[in-house]
Amino acid sequence: MIFVVILKIISVLLAIVGTTYLIPIITAISFKEFSYIIYFLIPMIFSWILCLSVYVSTKKIKIHLSTKLTFAVVALAWIFTSVFAAIPFYSSGAIPSFTDAFFESVSGFTTTGASIVQNIEALPKCMNMLRALTHWLGGMGIVALTVALLPILGVGGFQLIKAETTGPEKGKVTPKITTTAKALWTIYFVLTVLETILLMLFGMNFYEALCHSFSTLGTGGFSTRNESVKAFNSAGIDIVITIFMFLAGINFSLYYHLFKGKFREIKENSELKAYFFIVLIFTFLIAIFILPDYKNFAESLRYSAFNVLTIMSTTGFANADYTQWAMPAQFLLFILFIIGGCSGSTAGGIKVIRLVILGKKIKTDMKKMIHPRGVFTIRINKHPANPDLHSSVSTFIAVYFILITFTCFAGCLFGLDIFTSLTGAMSMTGNVGPAFGKLGPVFNYAWISPALKWIYSFSMLSGRLELFTILIFLSPDYWKK
């Protein structure tokens, strides 16, 4: 019965992802890359046949998800989807190694944006579209998309989305989880269309504008150019992408509140205030430190804002080599590697809200030391926070750095220097993409060993699923009756 439930959900998921292959197929037709159509068509048809076969044979079986089973479904969904998307890369020869194809696929779906492709512009246009598409699908969540499109999965749908979405507190913005998923995906779609139009107004063609919009809103960072956004050398394009990276780093439920006119929810949101403050302060400070490298303060502000948001939103686009900037500027960017965006956004990292809670907890504990008999309450969004939240945040941060330590040690074992290994581990766990050292914005991940690519793939998946989903699924205790 457990196997049937897992198979039923994953077959539906693969069919939905397979259907999105129509986008790279249309791209292949548009650019006369007819020989590549078959590499999308076969997996797409296979996914439909699998889904139909499973549905017909199990249509009388209702889906009942226990908490334990939820972890298995979500973990396996992301693993199988990553394998599924690697098939066109590998079978077409666009990426000859399956290890590299899987790494690229995982990097795409987890919106990390760490690439092994050395000559992006030589890739077929349809393959570049697939790379960007994985960002867009993985950004909002492939399971959330499934729940949004198929009310049949409404039973246990909230549990599935809780295991996939980011942040310490996960709730519904509407009474029904299917309605919530649809609302969030609609907002996501509208923002993508809007950015695509604006990028075209500033000189990108439709193909490149759509690819970069997919990558921006998914906070992934795959580009159609070898030099990433820098290749366009356009202040207008930089500004548009900077704005949308900022928007993608915000909790998407706040857009729903904005649409519904619930301005108080936005005004009182502690995380949004902290996010805006961090972006503002770091942008201004870095602009001052890199001023000698640019013509004037306006230009240094442009490059500072772009790189602050490409790191903090964990997008990973590049319009400059920040490893050549002044050391204080590099240090500030290094801090942003840890922070990440807001909960409920498409960004990675620890998330701003966890650091807000941790900061308030430290402040409260200090007050208790001064006033032992005092009663102090941590307030988030002007409401008392759940006491259990403090513990879960501390646990998450501890596990987060344990995973970074493990990944860093693996990098050292496979020949990376300590600085490259550390920042690479932070980048993989936080789903950032570029790092420092030999994995900086002008390099890629093609040269690292195959074994390390598999370890990095594990770290990317763990980071995207907020650590515990993958780790619990792989723990020995999970498999005990």
Side-chain angles (χ1 to χ4, degrees), residues 334 399-430 435-436 439 445 448-449 452 455-460:
F334 179 80
V399 174
Y400 188 86
F401 282 103
I402 288 171
L403 182 58
I404 287 177
T405 302
F406 165 78
T407 310
C408 177
F409 180 65
C412 293
L413 282 177
F414 289 99
L416 273 61
D417 64 84
I418 183 64
F419 186 57
T420 299
S421 185
L422 175 60
T423 57
M426 292 170 64
S427 181
M428 294 298 97
T429 306
F436 286 85
L439 295 175
Y445 289 73
I448 65 176
S449 70
L452 186 56
I455 294 171
Y456 275 1
S457 295
F458 168 77
S459 295
M460 286 188 284

Side-chain angles (χ1 to χ4, degrees), residues 364 367-377:
T364 300
K367 285 182 178 180
K368 286 181 179 178
M369 291 179 187
I370 299 171
H371 307 285
R373 295 182 180 179
V375 178
F376 304 98
T377 304

Side-chain angles (χ1 to χ4, degrees), residues 309-387:
L309 281 160
T310 199
I311 297 299
M312 188 170 181
S313 71
T314 70
T315 305
F317 280 136
N319 73 343
D321 183 4
Y322 55 72
T323 62
Q324 300 302 312
W325 286 354
M327 283 300 168
Q330 291 190 50
F331 175 78
L332 292 174
L333 289 177
F334 179 80
I335 297 299
L336 294 177
F337 263 77
I338 302 171
I339 298 174
C342 298
S343 61
S345 71
T346 59
I350 288 177
K351 305 294 183 300
V352 174
I353 188 61
R354 288 193 176 95
L355 296 178
V356 169
I357 292 169
L358 184 63
K360 290 185 178 240
K361 174 65 174 171
I362 292 171
K363 184 178 179 181
T364 300
D365 286 349
M366 290 175 65
K367 285 182 178 180
K368 286 181 179 178
M369 291 179 187
I370 299 171
H371 307 285
R373 295 182 180 179
V375 178
F376 304 98
T377 304
I378 294 177
R379 303 181 74 83
I380 301 296
N381 304 336
K382 294 192 175 181
H383 299 290
N386 186 336

Side-chain angles (χ1 to χ4, degrees), residues 8-20:
K8 191 171 184 177
I9 295 175
I10 291 179
S11 66
V12 170
L13 174 59
L14 291 181
I16 291 173
V17 174
T19 303
T20 66

Side-chain angles (χ1 to χ4, degrees), residues 62-106:
K62 292 184 178 181
I63 295 176
H64 296 287
L65 284 176
S66 64
T67 302
K68 186 175 182 179
L69 186 55
T70 300
F71 291 111
V73 169
V74 174
L76 289 173
W78 278 78
I79 293 169
F80 276 103
T81 305
S82 297
V83 172
F84 185 70
I87 292 172
F89 291 135
Y90 179 62
S91 60
S92 67
I95 301 178
S97 162
F98 182 75
T99 294
D100 286 350
F102 182 73
F103 181 92
E104 196 79 6
S105 177
V106 170

